[in-house]
Amino acid sequence: MISVTEALEHLFALARPLGVETVPLLQAHGRVLAKDVAATRNQPPFNSSAMDGYAVTEVAPGLRLRVIGESAAGHGFYQTVKTGEAVRIFTGAPVPDGAKAVVIQEDVTRDGDWITIGDNPEDNDHIRRAGGDFRIGDTVSAGRVIGPNDIALLASMNIADVPVTRRPIVALISTGDELVMPGETPGPDQIIASNTLGLHALMRDLGAEPRLLPIARDNEASLRTAFDLAKGADLIVTIGGASVGDHDVVANLAPQLGFDQSFYKVAMRPGKPLMAGRFGEAMMIGLPGNPVSAMVCGHVFVAPVVRAMLRLPAQAAPRRSGVLAEALPANGPREHYMRARVTDGGLIAFGSQDSSLLSILGQADALIVRSPKDGPRSAGDHVEYLPLR
């Protein structure tokens, strides 16, 4: 068995960053920016007013000025303002040539075409300088997930098409004669397939393109068919069959079908029977069949691999530090990911950590990470955890 850290190192070595495609700006949300993009214009493109008021050449208490025109957003005033003159101006409008400041309308009294500046005008010119936000050539750096704020910024830079990393195609294959899909009627010795559906949702959240393939039964022909259907995928994820029992078809048959194994078994719980390698042009990860094990391994291993394929930093799932609200007994020889709740008083691990209990995983919003042979922990101790929500 290898450690979780060693397993991640092997996985990152197997993962291949994907190519670049260009998408319209409106389709770029949630994608990973693959190349730096540069502004094609200055923002603002001209000196603009930050307030409603009057553009003037000078500001002094009691100064009387003649209003010679108006500058509004989209409708500027393109004459030069001279001494003794003012231009009515609105927020976002171009500041006319010659004007040195904008006096806010609250500091002005108007009488027909004349204004008088009050006794205590604000000591602020209220002008947003051209290029004060960004200038032509300023860049947005690659390697970020594009969010709503980024979309707004790119739009203001006049970038209509965005270079993004291609979405990884992830083929999800459940294995086992005991499985049926949700909505079907299971036999007396069958259960509902749940792992691939949970992983499908996780992959979509990560920005991948998951493909849910038919269940592979416990025979060579069915597994061959499943792998044939997975052709073209960047990542193949099998669930179940990763142990070495007589019915564990993935472990027994995958090497015969072209699977080049990198490692097998990780010193963790839940999730020990994990394997990975390459299957032709695709990377392949074999997850254990227990529902909680599969989902935990999805968060710990598959998610970082997908991020690496998307050209995000190749690093472990981000952890946080928290305080235990209740004591924990000593840990065993494997790294343990304990389902837990985050409360106002701190982290509380669930009493049962059986790897078949999806109901507990559904209530959990954290995985407390216990290092191998970690000693007993008291309430108030600081521990690391993986957030699940």
Side-chain angles (χ1 to χ4, degrees):
M1 285 191 294
I2 62 175
S3 69
V4 170
T5 299
E6 290 170 325
L8 282 168
E9 290 173 355
H10 284 292
L11 290 170
F12 292 141
L14 291 167
R16 295 175 181 173
L18 300 179
V20 179
E21 62 184 8
T22 301
V23 299
L25 179 61
L26 280 177
Q27 297 176 17
H29 178 242
R31 304 296 296 271
V32 175
L33 186 64
K35 297 180 179 179
D36 293 354
V37 291
T40 62
R41 64 191 297 276
N42 296 330
Q43 178 70 3
F46 43 75
N47 290 344
S48 67
S49 178
M51 303 290 285
D52 293 343
Y54 293 85
V56 298
T57 61
E58 60 178 320
V59 180
L63 187 64
R64 193 165 184 262
L65 306 167
R66 183 169 65 91
V67 180
I68 62 171
E70 180 179 288
S71 182
H75 303 280
F77 181 83
Y78 295 106
Q79 298 177 32
T80 300
V81 183
K82 300 175 183 177
T83 301
E85 297 177 337
V87 170
R88 178 70 165 126
I89 196 167
F90 299 92
T91 303
V95 176
D97 290 344
K100 299 296 189 293
V102 172
V103 182
I104 63 173
Q105 59 192 20
E106 291 85 352
D107 287 340
V108 168
T109 300
R110 182 164 180 170
D111 182 13
D113 290 339
W114 292 85
I115 62 169
T116 303
I117 298 177
D119 294 337
N120 296 294
E122 286 190 1
D123 185 19
N124 188 324
D125 66 12
H126 298 298
I127 294 176
R128 295 173 178 149
R129 304 297 170 183
D133 190 1
F134 56 79
R135 306 190 70 83
I136 293 172
D138 287 352
T139 60
V140 177
S141 299
R144 64 200 290 159
V145 177
I146 300 171
N149 296 340
D150 299 308
I151 296 291
L153 174 60
L154 295 173
S156 66
M157 289 179 162
N158 202 22
I159 296 170
D161 299 295
V162 186
V164 297
T165 307
R166 179 174 65 79
R167 294 184 187 274
I169 298 172
V170 182
L172 300 169
I173 306 172
S174 284
T175 67
D177 288 342
E178 75 279 11
L179 298 175
V180 298
M181 292 300 292
E184 297 180 357
T185 302
D189 51 3
Q190 291 184 307
I191 59 173
I192 308 298
S194 58
N195 299 333
T196 42
L197 280 82
L199 291 167
H200 189 282
L202 177 61
M203 295 300 99
R204 285 180 61 86
D205 283 350
L206 291 167
E209 184 180 317
R211 295 181 180 175
L212 189 63
L213 300 187
I215 296 168
R217 301 304 173 184
D218 290 331
N219 60 74
E220 181 176 347
S222 184
L223 189 62
R224 284 184 181 275
T225 298
F227 280 121
D228 284 342
L229 293 172
K231 287 180 179 177
D234 302 295
L235 173 62
I236 299 171
V237 179
T238 61
I239 300 94
S243 298
V244 291
D246 293 340
H247 297 285
D248 292 323
V249 292
V250 176
N252 293 329
L253 295 177
Q256 301 175 33
L257 302 179
F259 174 57
D260 183 14
Q261 183 174 294
S262 172
F263 68 86
Y264 171 59
K265 288 187 179 181
V266 180
M268 67 178 292
R269 56 180 294 221
K272 172 183 168 183
L274 181 98
M275 63 180 182
R278 294 207 66 85
F279 194 93
E281 292 299 312
M283 180 179 173
M284 179 173 151
I285 301 176
L287 302 181
N290 276 329
V292 174
S293 300
M295 291 305 298
V296 168
C297 288
H299 288 286
V300 175
F301 297 115
V302 185
V305 164
V306 169
R307 293 189 186 102
M309 287 182 164
L310 286 167
R311 298 174 179 259
L312 294 171
Q315 58 191 24
R319 298 180 181 182
R320 297 177 184 172
S321 179
V323 175
L324 288 176
E326 296 180 355
L328 291 175
N331 189 35
R334 290 183 282 163
E335 189 163 292
H336 193 185
Y337 292 79
M338 304 183 71
R339 283 154 284 169
R341 291 182 293 113
V342 180
T343 71
D344 292 340
L347 293 157
I348 300 176
F350 286 92
S352 177
Q353 295 290 324
D354 187 283
S355 61
S356 68
L357 301 179
L358 274 176
S359 59
I360 290 179
L361 183 63
Q363 299 174 58
D365 48 21
L367 294 172
I368 297 174
V369 184
R370 306 288 305 280
S371 59
K373 298 181 180 178
D374 185 33
R377 294 300 194 102
S378 302
D381 285 355
H382 285 267
V383 292
E384 288 190 324
Y385 71 95
L386 265 63
L388 294 179
R389 304 186 193 282

